[in-house]
Amino acid sequence: MSLAFRRFFILLIPVAFVCYLVSCNTKKSTCVVLDVAQKPFEKLSDYNFFAGVMNELKPNARVIAYDLNTPLFTDYAQKARFIYMPDGKTIEYDTTKVLQLPVGACLIKNFYYQNDFREKAGSPKRIMETRLLVHRAEGWDALDYVWNDEQTEAMLEDAGDIKKVSWTHYDGTKREADYFIPNKNQCKGCHWNNSTSITPIGPKVRNLNRDFVYDGVSENQLTHMAKMGVLKNAPALPTQTPKLATWSDSVNYSVNDRARAYLEVNCGHCHNPKGPAYTSGLHLNLENANLQNLGFCKAPVAAGKGTGNRLYDIIPGHPDKSIMTYRMASVEPGIKMPELGRGLVHQEGLDLITRWIAEMKPEDCKVN
Ligand code: HEC
Ligand code: HEC
């Protein structure tokens, strides 16, 4: 071998090693493998989002766990959510809209049922799905990976499905449900940006402003992301940042704040002036301050079975006469609200909205 050749090889070894570290293109590494210009992997494990045994959902490098103050109800499924941020990219702090994640980022939402909800986190569970929103150069792509019964792998599926699940509930009762796996079109039904494109929903500053336990240490999620260098220009203190109420926390929040947070997250992604339910004129997003658009003494746009012969979406003081509670208490297609994503009644959510309406100053709406 000539000297020049030998020099070339000696140089090549460190270069190859550095490339290996940066691109993390091996399954054994602790790095995520995601090229948003490529078509999606068939197998969830190929992304390498999780370290070690995949079903323990332990995040790899640059995969940041988060939780929400108020989440979406989906038949009592428990969730483990993560943001994957590509190296060197950042997110600008913004309280006016959902955080604008860079191209190359991915949101990861795992749906599971612990066998017994009374056990602590990490006890035996069945993971149903891992849903991804991948930020490609041309926009967000929605992908669904359905877990096998052995809990070793999840495969890409577009068609949707229904699976039986059972668990022991917080109150010790045995529960079961027909667990609903949405098809690709249904993702768009909720993650609606406009009729052709989709958007993330949950990662808004106010809903992220809470603590999370990272490796045994509790820290505010926004502070954690700022310290990682991922979130830019966030105020120094979480108290300087807006905070969405926790819908179930009756100690720290008023019934009104809890109800508005519940409606924002469970209904507001469709019921807002630009959402798929905008024609109803019922705007349940947090920003809406107009009482009639919130449903007060508002007649529904469509008569028929979705009203239960009730006249207004909300009659203050009268939950039993309001369409809102009627539709939340139904599991029938064409009546139930939300119209997608649940087969069971969310009793605790319905109780909250019932109490909210009951505590309003009673009013007899005028028919006009
Ligand atoms: C019934 C409405 C609904 C449907 C259908 C739905 N989502 Fe979502 N999704 C939400 C809401 C609301 C949130 C935010 C609240 C939460 O995470 O609890 C969310 C959160 C997510 C997240 C976490 C990031 C974010 O946007 O908050 C991902 C990833 C996701 N969904 C992917 C999907 C995919 C993929 C599908 C289709 C297979 C889908 N979703 C179908 C309503 C829906
Ligand atoms: C996936 C989108 C979607 C979600 C989520 C959703 N809705 Fe709706 N909603 C619609 C659509 C579309 C209509 C109009 C058609 C109809 O009345 O069925 C509607 C209509 C309604 C109406 C009748 C409004 C009127 O004045 O005509 C009420 C009340 C209602 N929804 C309540 C709720 C509540 C409460 C939630 C959350 C707990 C919710 N919806 C979540 C899509 C949605």
Side-chain angles (χ1 to χ4, degrees):
M1 213 187 273
S2 76
L3 189 65
F5 229 64
R6 231 179 290 165
R7 281 205 185 126
F8 172 74
F9 271 113
I10 289 168
L11 234 140
L12 200 67
I13 294 165
V15 168
F17 184 66
V18 169
C19 287
Y20 161 86
L21 281 182
V22 172
S23 68
C24 299
N25 56 0
T26 162
K27 286 198 69 173
K28 286 186 191 66
S29 79
T30 58
C31 294
V32 167
V33 183
L34 176 62
D35 179 349
V36 295
Q38 299 296 319
K39 63 182 194 12
F41 289 130
E42 288 300 316
K43 294 193 294 202
L44 182 66
S45 59
D46 284 342
Y47 295 100
N48 216 24
F49 289 130
F50 303 109
V53 182
M54 189 164 70
N55 70 9
E56 288 174 9
L57 304 178
K58 286 207 194 80
N60 256 331
R62 310 202 63 77
V63 179
I64 312 159
Y66 73 94
D67 213 340
L68 298 173
N69 286 321
T70 290
L72 173 72
F73 171 80
T74 42
D75 288 352
Y76 295 104
Q78 298 160 300
K79 323 279 171 68
R81 303 176 186 76
F82 303 89
I83 300 177
Y84 164 66
M85 279 292 288
D87 206 3
K89 297 280 182 64
T90 56
I91 311 169
E92 196 63 27
Y93 176 86
D94 185 345
T95 56
T96 62
K97 48 182 180 285
V98 70
L99 286 176
Q100 302 291 294
L101 270 57
V103 169
C106 177
L107 289 153
I108 307 159
K109 188 177 179 188
N110 305 281
F111 290 64
Y112 64 91
Y113 289 83
Q114 267 179 211
N115 299 354
D116 188 336
F117 282 14
R118 298 166 302 176
E119 303 268 305
K120 60 181 189 316
S123 71
K125 62 177 179 299
R126 177 173 169 205
I127 311 176
M128 310 302 293
E129 303 171 79
T130 298
R131 299 185 190 170
L132 303 183
L133 289 177
V134 177
H135 202 182
R136 303 189 190 283
E138 58 276 20
W140 287 93
D141 189 14
L143 304 170
D144 202 0
Y145 290 83
V146 178
W147 283 70
N148 61 13
D149 292 341
E150 299 75 36
Q151 300 280 284
T152 51
E153 187 58 273
M155 302 300 289
L156 182 62
E157 283 185 30
D158 284 349
D161 203 354
I162 289 178
K163 290 191 174 189
K164 282 250 176 277
V165 281
S166 56
W167 71 95
T168 303
H169 206 60
Y170 298 106
D171 60 6
T173 56
K174 294 263 180 233
R175 302 279 182 104
E176 54 177 36
D178 286 324
Y179 181 83
F180 159 83
I181 297 173
N183 67 36
K184 208 176 163 78
N185 269 330
Q186 289 168 323
C187 311
K188 199 192 286 172
C190 292
H191 288 269
W192 172 282
N193 192 27
N194 54 52
S195 55
T196 53
S197 67
I198 63 170
T199 172
I201 302 172
K204 289 183 183 168
V205 160
R206 61 185 178 221
N207 208 353
L208 290 171
N209 187 5
R210 59 173 287 153
D211 288 352
F212 190 91
V213 181
Y214 303 93
D215 292 328
V217 184
S218 181
E219 191 175 30
N220 179 279
Q221 298 184 143
L222 298 167
T223 310
H224 183 78
M225 286 168 68
K227 275 194 199 158
M228 280 181 73
V230 163
L231 183 64
K232 289 286 172 206
N233 300 319
L237 295 173
T239 45
Q240 296 164 311
T241 296
K243 184 169 181 163
L244 187 70
T246 300
W247 73 279
S248 55
D249 179 352
S250 56
V251 176
N252 293 302
Y253 299 100
S254 67
V255 169
N256 183 58
D257 287 351
R258 290 162 58 208
R260 289 301 305 263
Y262 185 87
L263 296 174
E264 148 88 359
V265 181
N266 284 276
C267 325
H269 48 281
C270 289
H271 286 277
N272 71 69
K274 290 184 189 153
Y278 81 95
T279 48
S280 70
L282 182 66
H283 304 328
L284 302 176
N285 55 317
L286 196 69
E287 288 79 10
N288 174 34
N290 178 304
L291 288 183
Q292 209 196 3
N293 289 132
L294 197 58
F296 283 58
C297 296
K298 177 191 175 305
V301 290
K305 72 169 185 173
T307 65
N309 295 323
R310 299 178 182 191
L311 293 176
Y312 301 101
D313 292 339
I314 292 176
I315 302 182
H318 301 284
D320 52 324
K321 294 182 189 156
S322 302
I323 296 170
M324 188 174 277
T325 44
Y326 172 74
R327 298 191 73 158
M328 288 178 69
S330 173
V331 291
E332 222 185 289
I335 302 176
K336 71 170 176 185
M337 282 290 151
E339 54 176 11
L340 281 177
R342 73 166 178 89
L344 300 176
V345 172
H346 186 202
Q347 193 56 49
E348 298 79 0
L350 175 59
D351 290 347
L352 173 63
I353 300 304
T354 302
R355 182 169 164 201
W356 179 58
I357 298 177
E359 288 181 3
M360 290 169 186
K361 206 160 99 1
E363 194 177 320
D364 286 324
C365 304
K366 310 264 177 313
V367 182
N368 49 27

